[in-house]
Structure formats: structure tokens, C-alpha cells
Amino acid sequence: MYNQIRKIYNSLILVAVLSQLSCEFKPKKLPIFGSRTFNGVDTVYHKIAPFQFLDQDSSIITNDTFKDKIYVTDFFFTSCRTICPIMKREMLRVYESTRKMPEVVILSHTIDPEYDTVALLHDFAQKLGVESQKWHFVTGAKDSIYKIAQTSYFATAIQDSSEPDGFIHSGLFLLIDKKGRIRGKYDGTKEADVNQLISDIKILRLEDGL
Amino acid sequence: MDCKLIYFLTLLSLGFIVNMSLLRCDFRDPKFKIYYVEGQRLYNQYCSNCHSITGNGLGQLYPPLIKSDYMAANINKVFCLMKYGISDSIKVNGVVYNRTMFGVPSLTELEIAEIATYIYNSWGNEKGYVDVSTVSKAMKDCNAKN
């Protein structure tokens, strides 16, 4: 009787240990954000809507630019003195840590396109010391930028003259996969969050076998 | 045994001397410490977004305050630009910075002295305590210009 109990106990422990191990060895998968629908065959995930903007080199930037690319995106403006310099300092860490990954790029949208012209964005990127192939700073029609921020990326971008710099916006960094789906959201003003983003990029690359 | 005792006593006395000198540093000027701590709070509130908590600045967008030849040579201008901002281009350690810096108009002369005490005694800078009368005198000149 005693022996039987021991056997059962031992096998229970074995099962517990094994399940623990299998959990740990299962590769971590990033969530897919946004609403999803079923079209009868497949699950359809929320995707970034079609867009067209101009970057610091006057190149036209569309969804096609990011075909087969993983990208990190945010919303900012060059004259902002509040959270933007912190965001840019943190995004620069993302830039540096993905330098040797040509399939990872960065897309920063200005939310003040009237002031942030192509020439100004060019100057800004140059002074930050980054390459335009790797980090696109884009401007475009204000409505399109605000609309894509709110409906595609779920980021806040509103003009408000009562704010110190004239805009309300979140310091969100978003991680977008090769299919245009949101796979991560991070506070771009917090070092720990950005560290998480940097390690999540590695997990996302594993999905593509890189 | 003797050798060990001497070694021990030497260490003890060295420790004592180091401790005393540190204490002297702290008590040398209590005002310095008050200015420094308050200056750090103000710096983190008004300046660190752009110039960074570590004083490193950011690329050629925002100049560094860590080992800045501009700061060393232009302390009076530094007092003025904290309050009134600066739109002229300046050269810091050989690099030109030409983006407008907005000032913080609400800063008092005391607060400017506190921030100056903090930035001129952090990250390897060791200028010593900057008192209000120095700032007041300098501010009269920038008032005239602005």
C-alpha cells in the first residue's frame, strides 16, 4: 500500500517537472493585438491600413516599403520639449541594437506636419546621426497621420492648444510584424519597456526563422 | 605578527583620514549641498528631457553638459539662456548646435544659481558652488540684451 502511494507520488512529481520543462522550452510567441474576425476559412487579424507619406529624403513611404520588414513605429514632433527627446533617445537604442538586422526598420511620424517639413525632418535625422534607409521620419496630410495613429495603431495624437507644446500624444512605441499586424506596445519613455521591445524583436525574428 | 599589526594600523589610519576628508567635503559648505540637491530636482524637471539625466545631450540636436567647453567659457551666457533661451548657433566641443532652445521664463535667480551649482558640479565638472549674487550680476547684462 505504502509503495503504491509512493509510486503515484513519484509519477505525479515527474509529470509536474516535465510539464514545467515543456513550458519553458516552448518558444515564446508574441500576442497579436486588435480585433479579429473569421472569414469562414481563416482568422482575419487587425492590420495597419494603407498609407502614403513622405520621408526625410522625399521618398514615398507606403505599406509596400515595409513589405517583408519588421518595423517599430511612433508619433512625435521635432519642436516637442516634453516626452519626445526621451522617446528619440530610447528609439536610438532600438536603432543601435538592430543595426545588423536589415529586415528591422523604424518609422517615426510627425504629428505637426505643418511645421515639420521634409527639409526639417531631414535636418533632424541628420543631427540624430541616423540613416534614412533604416529610420524613416515621415510627414503627410495631418488628417491621414491622425487617422492612422488612432484607428490603425491605437495611439493618441490630438492637436490641443491648451497643452504646453500644442499637442496631446502618447509616447507609445509599436512593434509591427511582416504582415502589418501589431505585435507589441511599449512606453517609449521607459527604459525597461524599451528593453522589452528590443528582446521582443528577437522573438519576432524567430517566427521567420531568422 | 608585528608586520601585520603595522599593516592593520596603517589601514585604520588611512581609512580615518579618508573619512575625515569626506566629512569635511560634506560640511565644507552646507549651502553647496542645498543648492546642489535643489538644482538636481530643477534640472530633472526642466532640462533633462533634452540634455538627458546623464548630461550627455542627444546627437547634434541637444548639446552635452558633460565636459562642455562652451559651459566652461560662457558661464554668464549659461545663466541667461536658462531663463531666456537661445536661438543663435553655438559650438560645443567643436560641434555646431543651431536648434532653438526655449528658456524657462519662470526661473528665479536663486533657481538659476541652484541649477548652475548642479550642472557645474556633476558628471566630472567641479566648479564649486555658484551663488545668487554672481547670477544676479550676470542677469543684469542679459536683461539689457533681451
Side-chain angles (χ1 to χ4, degrees), chain A residues 47-170:
Chain A
K47 276 175 77 174
I48 304 306
F51 59 84
Q52 183 174 330
F53 300 119
L54 274 184
D55 80 355
Q56 70 266 41
D57 287 352
S58 291
S59 304
I60 296 169
I61 302 297
T62 67
N63 309 64
D64 268 353
T65 315
F66 302 102
K67 202 174 165 244
D68 296 325
K69 302 261 188 209
I70 290 168
Y71 70 97
V72 180
T73 190
D74 71 349
F75 294 85
F76 87 114
F77 54 108
T78 65
S79 58
C80 149
R81 295 165 280 169
T82 53
I83 58 174
C84 311
I86 304 171
M87 288 165 71
K88 288 293 151 279
R89 194 169 288 119
E90 290 298 326
M91 194 62 102
L92 199 58
R93 290 206 297 128
V94 178
Y95 177 89
E96 295 295 347
S97 68
T98 59
R99 266 205 125 144
K100 290 186 180 137
M101 305 170 191
E103 77 289 355
V104 181
V105 291
I106 302 171
L107 170 64
S108 286
H109 307 74
T110 176
I111 56 165
D112 185 11
E114 280 154 23
Y115 182 79
D116 288 337
T117 56
V118 167
L120 215 139
L121 291 175
H122 183 87
D123 181 62
F124 188 86
Q126 206 171 29
K127 285 183 172 148
L128 199 57
V130 299
E131 286 169 27
S132 43
Q133 291 310 307
K134 178 88 183 169
W135 190 343
H136 302 279
F137 288 87
V138 297
T139 184
K142 197 183 215 165
D143 292 348
S144 325
I145 295 171
Y146 285 25
K147 194 176 169 204
I148 202 153
Q150 282 154 20
T151 60
S152 276
Y153 296 109
F154 309 123
T156 314
I158 307 160
Q159 186 156 18
D160 182 343
S161 51
S162 68
E163 280 291 300
D165 283 329
F167 299 90
I168 298 175
H169 68 128
S170 67

Side-chain angles (χ1 to χ4, degrees), chain B residues 1-144:
Chain B
M1 182 63 198
D2 265 352
C3 205
K4 266 190 185 166
L5 190 70
I6 290 167
Y7 179 65
F8 178 72
L9 283 175
T10 320
L11 265 184
L12 201 73
S13 50
L14 258 177
F16 184 72
I17 292 165
V18 169
N19 257 327
M20 282 313 285
S21 58
L22 278 180
L23 280 176
R24 263 183 54 201
C25 244
D26 268 358
F27 289 113
R28 186 185 52 192
D29 200 340
K31 240 183 171 178
F32 172 86
K33 220 178 161 185
I34 295 167
Y35 272 46
Y36 186 89
V37 170
E38 191 54 20
Q40 180 174 34
R41 188 187 66 79
L42 292 164
Y43 176 84
N44 290 347
Q45 183 181 348
Y46 294 118
C47 325
S48 71
N49 281 355
C50 296
H51 294 289
S52 101
I53 296 274
T54 52
N56 276 307
L58 180 62
Q60 286 176 44
L61 293 169
Y62 314 114
L65 308 185
I66 189 171
K67 287 179 206 135
S68 156
D69 57 358
Y70 178 88
M71 260 172 66
N74 301 285
I75 188 162
N76 287 354
K77 279 190 193 163
V78 170
F79 299 149
C80 297
L81 64 83
M82 283 187 213
K83 192 178 173 81
Y84 301 108
I86 182 168
S87 46
D88 301 339
S89 78
I90 61 166
K91 211 177 201 179
V92 181
N93 304 335
V95 179
V96 175
Y97 294 85
N98 59 7
R99 290 167 51 83
T100 299
M101 170 182 147
F102 297 98
V104 184
S106 65
L107 287 181
T108 62
E109 286 173 358
L110 173 66
E111 287 172 324
I112 291 169
E114 287 164 341
I115 296 172
T117 300
Y118 177 67
I119 61 174
Y120 276 96
N121 294 283
S122 295
W123 318 301
N125 298 330
E126 290 178 335
K127 195 173 175 59
Y129 153 64
V130 179
D131 74 303
V132 188
S133 61
T134 315
V135 173
S136 293
K137 239 184 262 169
M139 295 303 282
K140 283 196 184 93
D141 278 348
C142 59
N143 277 336

Side-chain angles (χ1 to χ4, degrees), chain A residues 8-77:
Chain A
I8 292 170
Y9 182 69
N10 277 347
S11 52
L12 272 177
I13 286 184
L14 192 71
V15 168
V17 168
L18 278 178
S19 59
Q20 184 72 33
L21 279 177
S22 68
C23 271
E24 276 176 19
F25 284 123
K26 207 160 59 181
K28 199 188 152 198
K29 265 209 137 193
L30 299 179
I32 300 170
F33 288 90
S35 60
R36 54 196 62 187
T37 50
F38 189 68
N39 67 0
V41 188
D42 269 324
T43 309
V44 181
Y45 293 99
H46 170 80
K47 276 175 77 174
I48 304 306
F51 59 84
Q52 183 174 330
F53 300 119
L54 274 184
D55 80 355
Q56 70 266 41
D57 287 352
S58 291
S59 304
I60 296 169
I61 302 297
T62 67
N63 309 64
D64 268 353
T65 315
F66 302 102
K67 202 174 165 244
D68 296 325
K69 302 261 188 209
I70 290 168
Y71 70 97
V72 180
T73 190
D74 71 349
F75 294 85
F76 87 114
F77 54 108

